[in-house]
Amino acid sequence: MNRYVMNQPGVYGYYPMLPREAVQPLTFVLVHGSWANASFWNGVAAELRRQGHTVYAPEYPGHGSDPNTNVTHAMISRAVADFIIAHNLHDIILVGHSFGGSVIQKVAELVPDRIKRLVFMDGFVVADGQSLADQLPPPVQEAFTQLREMSTDDTIMLPFSLFRETFVNLADHALASQLYNEIRPEPAKPLFEKLDLKTFFRLQIPRSYLYLTEDNVLPQGEGYGWHPHMSSRLGVFRLIKSHGDHMTFFRTQPALLAQRLYEASRD
Amino acid sequence: MNRYVMNQPGVYGYYPMLPREAVQPLTFVLVHGSWANASFWNGVAAELRRQGHTVYAPEYPGHGSDPNTNVTHAMISRAVADFIIAHNLHDIILVGHSFGGSVIQKVAELVPDRIKRLVFMDGFVVADGQSLADQLPPPVQEAFTQLREMSTDDTIMLPFSLFRETFVNLADHALASQLYNEIRPEPAKPLFEKLDLKTFFRLQIPRSYLYLTEDNVLPQGEGYGWHPHMSSRLGVFRLIKSHGDHMTFFRTQPALLAQRLYEASRD
Amino acid sequence: MNRYVMNQPGVYGYYPMLPREAVQPLTFVLVHGSWANASFWNGVAAELRRQGHTVYAPEYPGHGSDPNTNVTHAMISRAVADFIIAHNLHDIILVGHSFGGSVIQKVAELVPDRIKRLVFMDGFVVADGQSLADQLPPPVQEAFTQLREMSTDDTIMLPFSLFRETFVNLADHALASQLYNEIRPEPAKPLFEKLDLKTFFRLQIPRSYLYLTEDNVLPQGEGYGWHPHMSSRLGVFRLIKSHGDHMTFFRTQPALLAQRLYEASRD
């Protein structure tokens, strides 16, 4: 009877879904971030498929089942571009979460004609000539450099307290622990490489920024942060906001995030 | 039974209305912005009237049925002030949306004793001696100047993609197209005139800022934007926030916006 | 049947509570702010107790039944620390609202080993060597200084209009008047004292910031405000957001604020 499909009640209440008949079928390629692997998208991908979309979530070097930690940013973006080519995908919505934002910047340079829209979901939009680390305040850069130097394989492992307070601040302790136990040390090099993004900033591909308003991984405002600091580098972009921290709602509110992602992605 | 009046389910869920018995009847004068005409307020005005308020939405020169595009900011504010005088209105809540914010600044100078409160609804609060265009980042100013020079009658027409991404980012494509088809080129001159607002900034009329949190027409933060950048020019003001982009919810969620507008307007 | 406990419908809708079985029992010490006394917490404390927590809301000098207005910041923080010691409290969640934020900064210096976590709830996080007044823009500082000089007992009384517009902007007029009638002039000295906070900024106690998004007591952004301006002084902290202005929801939405406070406080 009700043409609205409701998702489950959660901390932030009921979010009616769009009427099913209004959904425009899209092809999504979802690119995860650091301290994650392709399974990061499982919940959101299932919801998108339920809405009628086609969804790919490629793994990339140094993550998932690949034990190699000596990877570069270029290897990662090349792998995603190759995945898109190998699957002969066109008119894709290319989504980057967190570090994945910088990946889709470079993938867009490699296969611009196959991309319908770029969606940054609390994703890094790195300025030309900068690294991801350059987006962090100096004390955080130093802390990451120290964590890097403590490793034997040039990786960075987040301490639990940092992960719990800033990546999954909306989770309860049990879920935070579970999510923490799933992560492995992140290859450090791609986070510190300076990226040539001149081509990216000349591209005319439509782009959206999906901002999760409780995300506190980066300082918000005062010269740092996802939105408006990095989002504004996109020039004209579509802004969508959702409740959510950096990682929790991907597990607990996938229908909400899928709906917001659709709103960021439709024509 | 339920003393709360619920509005329709929407993308952002249920918003209980205030109990009817608590409503303080007010007289609203609603001033629309650029790329709009008085019908912009139809939905919100109907909801306000349903709550028991008296509502006026005057048209002003260069808009609606007036084909003249050679209008000035002074002609517009004079027309709104004359409307208020002609209808012998007093104790009004004077609301300005977008460009209409700068109009109510000048109307307040003309008929200060008739105004109970000023409400800026994602409205421009222009600093003394500046123009609306001065509130835009230089690249956007240049784009607007180019659009102006492309016209034969000193107007600016928004390209669809810009309108869709930044004015109605929360709409689906069908609604975005419908709303775009309703707009006509905007007379350019009032957007570039420098405004003397010394008198406005000496007025003691109570004022509110109603900020729509997904509005991305102006860059948000970092020296630009509706709130807190322009709102803070009001000195002491009442802040109300609502979900919404620049134009969509006026069509899809009028009960929500009317409720927030009432909260911004009551004593 | 429903394992979610709903709070009452309000302006911002339904907020499902966490399942009761998931609640981790905590010991809260709630420190109120200026123009308030310990009864400020009555609603939130009742909700927290209903969830199974132990709650203390100590009164401090110059407030509540203490008629003395010649108090210092040190007297206030000493009194709260003495309360904690006298009740032999350990592993406490020490919460500071508004001015109370600066109090818990100093209490943390006095009894660091008894504190499990600090929670700033739109609370001041004063930089070392500064005063609370230093967090205000110069025109507001001047206004407060004038109000101070107008008093005969070195207090500051808020004019109703300022209180109504910036402390309880979400309230209706009747509630705003009621809340205003409950306040008494605030001892001025603690607001202007420079605070030595070197020890505080060396402490490693976990900390959270609970930001009420409609709070307009301080300008938001552009070098001022609760979050991210003062919150960022905490270094690594857990961010939780809630709808709410500075004072209204403590009276009208205590279950919502208690839930958010729990999310800010749990392990």
Side-chain angles (χ1 to χ4, degrees):
Chain A
M1 290 325 180
N2 187 339
R3 57 201 286 267
Y4 289 87
V5 184
M6 310 294 284
N7 62 356
Q8 294 306 304
V11 174
Y12 290 99
Y14 290 87
Y15 292 85
M17 300 290 100
L18 280 184
R20 285 185 185 280
E21 61 264 44
V23 172
Q24 167 195 16
L26 298 168
T27 300
F28 287 92
V29 176
L30 308 175
V31 180
H32 67 79
S34 301
W35 298 288
N37 59 51
S39 74
F40 180 79
W41 293 107
N42 284 356
V44 170
E47 294 291 339
L48 289 172
R49 290 185 185 112
R50 196 173 302 173
Q51 277 190 18
H53 305 294
T54 304
V55 184
Y56 299 88
E59 196 50 272
Y60 52 70
H63 294 76
S65 58
D66 179 10
N68 180 26
T69 62
N70 187 23
V71 295
T72 64
H73 199 281
M75 287 166 63
I76 291 172
S77 53
R78 184 73 255 169
V80 174
D82 287 348
F83 177 95
I84 291 167
I85 294 165
H87 288 74
N88 196 25
L89 305 181
H90 292 275
D91 280 324
I92 61 173
I93 308 296
L94 184 59
V95 181
H97 176 252
S98 194
F99 169 78
S102 71
V103 177
I104 69 172
Q105 285 183 285
K106 294 302 293 183
V107 173
E109 293 185 343
L110 296 170
V111 290
D113 296 342
R114 292 169 179 268
I115 302 170
K116 184 181 176 67
R117 180 178 291 265
L118 298 165
V119 181
F120 296 82
M121 194 168 178
D122 280 9
F124 281 90
V125 183
V126 178
D128 177 49
Q130 295 192 354
S131 68
L132 274 91
D134 290 334
Q135 315 312 312
L136 307 173
V140 182
Q141 284 188 41
E142 285 170 38
F144 272 50
T145 300
Q146 286 179 359
L147 289 169
R148 185 183 187 180
E149 289 168 355
M150 284 165 56
S151 82
T152 56
D153 56 356
D154 200 20
T155 59
I156 295 176
M157 186 58 189
L158 297 172
F160 174 72
S161 62
L162 183 66
F163 177 80
R164 193 273 173 278
E165 302 292 35
T166 66
F167 281 64
V168 292
N169 33 315
L170 298 184
D172 64 21
H173 191 266
L175 178 59
S177 300
Q178 179 188 331
L179 294 172
Y180 185 73
N181 289 335
E182 294 176 12
I183 71 176
R184 50 172 264 207
E186 177 70 18
K189 202 177 305 167
L191 308 181
F192 287 87
E193 290 177 88
K194 305 287 188 184
L195 303 177
D196 180 336
L197 288 158
K198 287 182 197 65
T199 301
F200 171 78
F201 285 107
R202 281 195 297 264
L203 294 174
Q204 299 292 316
I205 304 169
R207 64 282 313 266
S208 300
Y209 207 96
L210 171 43
Y211 175 49
L212 305 172
T213 55
E214 280 86 5
D215 188 335
N216 202 32
V217 161
L218 299 181
Q220 300 181 73
E222 315 235 319
Y224 292 99
W226 305 114
H227 172 77
H229 179 68
M230 286 197 285
S231 63
S232 67
R233 294 174 176 162
L234 295 174
V236 173
F237 67 98
R238 187 191 306 175
L239 173 68
I240 301 290
K241 291 185 183 178
S242 174
H243 281 296
D245 62 24
H246 199 61
M247 289 189 167
T248 303
F249 277 22
F250 289 84
R251 197 63 64 100
T252 63
Q253 303 269 354
L256 168 66
L257 295 191
Q259 172 60 20
R260 292 289 173 269
L261 192 46
Y262 174 70
E263 293 166 9
S265 304
R266 62 187 171 187
D267 282 348
Chain B
M1 290 323 189
N2 188 340
R3 57 202 283 269
Y4 288 88
V5 184
M6 311 293 285
N7 62 357
Q8 294 306 305
V11 173
Y12 290 99
Y14 290 87
Y15 293 84
M17 299 291 100
L18 281 185
R20 284 185 185 281
E21 61 265 46
V23 172
Q24 168 195 16
L26 298 167
T27 300
F28 287 93
V29 176
L30 308 174
V31 180
H32 66 79
S34 301
W35 298 288
N37 58 51
S39 74
F40 181 79
W41 293 107
N42 284 355
V44 170
E47 293 292 340
L48 289 172
R49 289 184 186 114
R50 196 173 302 172
Q51 276 190 19
H53 305 294
T54 304
V55 184
Y56 299 87
E59 196 51 271
Y60 52 70
H63 294 76
S65 58
D66 178 11
N68 180 25
T69 62
N70 186 22
V71 294
T72 64
H73 199 282
M75 285 166 65
I76 292 172
S77 52
R78 184 73 255 170
V80 174
D82 286 348
F83 177 94
I84 291 167
I85 294 166
H87 288 74
N88 196 23
L89 305 181
H90 292 275
D91 281 323
I92 62 173
I93 308 295
L94 184 59
V95 181
H97 175 253
S98 195
F99 169 77
S102 71
V103 176
I104 70 172
Q105 285 183 285
K106 293 302 293 184
V107 173
E109 293 185 344
L110 296 170
V111 290
D113 296 342
R114 291 168 179 268
I115 303 169
K116 183 181 177 67
R117 180 178 291 266
L118 298 165
V119 181
F120 296 82
M121 193 167 177
D122 280 11
F124 282 90
V125 183
V126 178
D128 178 48
Q130 296 192 354
S131 68
L132 274 92
D134 290 334
Q135 316 311 313
L136 307 173
V140 181
Q141 284 189 39
E142 285 170 38
F144 271 50
T145 300
Q146 286 178 359
L147 289 169
R148 184 183 187 180
E149 289 168 355
M150 284 166 56
S151 82
T152 56
D153 56 354
D154 200 21
T155 60
I156 295 176
M157 186 57 188
L158 298 172
F160 175 71
S161 62
L162 183 66
F163 176 80
R164 194 274 172 278
E165 301 293 34
T166 66
F167 280 65
V168 292
N169 33 315
L170 298 183
D172 64 20
H173 191 267
L175 178 59
S177 301
Q178 178 188 332
L179 294 172
Y180 185 72
N181 288 335
E182 294 175 11
I183 71 175
R184 51 173 263 205
E186 176 70 17
K189 201 177 307 168
L191 308 181
F192 287 87
E193 289 177 88
K194 305 287 187 184
L195 302 177
D196 181 335
L197 288 157
K198 286 181 197 67
T199 301
F200 171 77
F201 285 107
R202 280 195 297 263
L203 293 175
Q204 300 292 316
I205 303 168
R207 65 282 312 267
S208 300
Y209 207 96
L210 170 44
Y211 175 49
L212 305 171
T213 56
E214 282 86 4
D215 188 334
N216 202 31
V217 161
L218 299 182
Q220 299 179 72
E222 315 233 321
Y224 292 100
W226 305 113
H227 171 76
H229 179 66
M230 285 197 285
S231 63
S232 67
R233 294 174 177 163
L234 295 174
V236 174
F237 67 97
R238 186 191 305 174
L239 173 67
I240 301 291
K241 291 185 183 177
S242 173
H243 281 297
D245 61 24
H246 198 61
M247 288 188 167
T248 303
F249 277 21
F250 290 83
R251 198 62 65 100
T252 63
Q253 303 271 352
L256 168 65
L257 295 192
Q259 173 60 19
R260 292 289 173 270
L261 191 48
Y262 174 70
E263 293 166 9
S265 304
R266 61 188 172 187
D267 281 348
Chain C
M1 292 318 189
N2 188 339
R3 57 201 283 270
Y4 289 86
V5 184
M6 311 294 283
N7 62 356
Q8 293 307 304
V11 173
Y12 290 99
Y14 291 88
Y15 293 85
M17 299 291 99
L18 282 184
R20 284 186 187 280
E21 60 265 46
V23 172
Q24 167 194 16
L26 298 167
T27 300
F28 287 93
V29 175
L30 308 174
V31 180
H32 66 79
S34 300
W35 298 287
N37 58 51
S39 74
F40 181 79
W41 293 107
N42 285 356
V44 170
E47 293 291 339
L48 289 172
R49 291 185 184 113
R50 196 173 302 172
Q51 276 190 18
H53 305 294
T54 304
V55 185
Y56 299 87
E59 196 51 272
Y60 51 70
H63 294 75
S65 58
D66 178 11
N68 180 26
T69 62
N70 187 23
V71 294
T72 65
H73 199 282
M75 286 166 64
I76 292 172
S77 52
R78 185 71 256 170
V80 173
D82 286 347
F83 178 94
I84 291 167
I85 294 166
H87 289 74
N88 196 24
L89 305 181
H90 292 274
D91 281 324
I92 62 174
I93 308 296
L94 184 59
V95 180
H97 176 252
S98 194
F99 169 77
S102 71
V103 176
I104 70 173
Q105 286 184 283
K106 293 301 294 183
V107 173
E109 294 186 343
L110 295 171
V111 289
D113 296 343
R114 292 169 179 268
I115 302 169
K116 183 181 176 66
R117 180 177 291 267
L118 298 165
V119 181
F120 296 82
M121 192 168 179
D122 281 10
F124 282 89
V125 183
V126 178
D128 178 48
Q130 295 192 355
S131 68
L132 275 92
D134 290 334
Q135 315 312 312
L136 307 172
V140 182
Q141 284 188 40
E142 284 170 40
F144 271 50
T145 300
Q146 285 178 0
L147 290 169
R148 184 182 187 182
E149 290 169 355
M150 282 166 57
S151 82
T152 56
D153 57 356
D154 201 21
T155 60
I156 295 176
M157 186 57 189
L158 298 172
F160 174 72
S161 62
L162 183 65
F163 177 80
R164 193 275 172 277
E165 300 293 34
T166 67
F167 280 65
V168 292
N169 33 315
L170 298 184
D172 65 19
H173 191 266
L175 178 59
S177 300
Q178 179 188 331
L179 294 172
Y180 185 72
N181 288 334
E182 294 176 12
I183 72 176
R184 51 173 263 207
E186 177 69 18
K189 202 178 305 168
L191 308 181
F192 287 88
E193 290 177 87
K194 306 286 187 184
L195 302 177
D196 180 335
L197 288 157
K198 287 183 196 66
T199 301
F200 172 77
F201 285 107
R202 281 195 298 263
L203 294 174
Q204 301 292 316
I205 303 169
R207 66 282 312 267
S208 300
Y209 206 97
L210 171 43
Y211 175 49
L212 305 172
T213 54
E214 281 85 4
D215 188 334
N216 203 32
V217 161
L218 299 180
Q220 299 180 73
E222 315 235 320
Y224 292 99
W226 305 114
H227 172 76
H229 179 67
M230 286 197 285
S231 63
S232 68
R233 294 175 177 164
L234 294 174
V236 173
F237 67 96
R238 186 190 305 173
L239 173 68
I240 301 290
K241 290 185 185 178
S242 174
H243 281 296
D245 62 23
H246 199 60
M247 288 190 168
T248 303
F249 277 21
F250 289 83
R251 196 64 63 101
T252 63
Q253 302 270 352
L256 168 65
L257 295 192
Q259 173 60 19
R260 293 287 173 270
L261 191 48
Y262 174 70
E263 292 166 11
S265 303
R266 60 188 173 189
D267 281 347

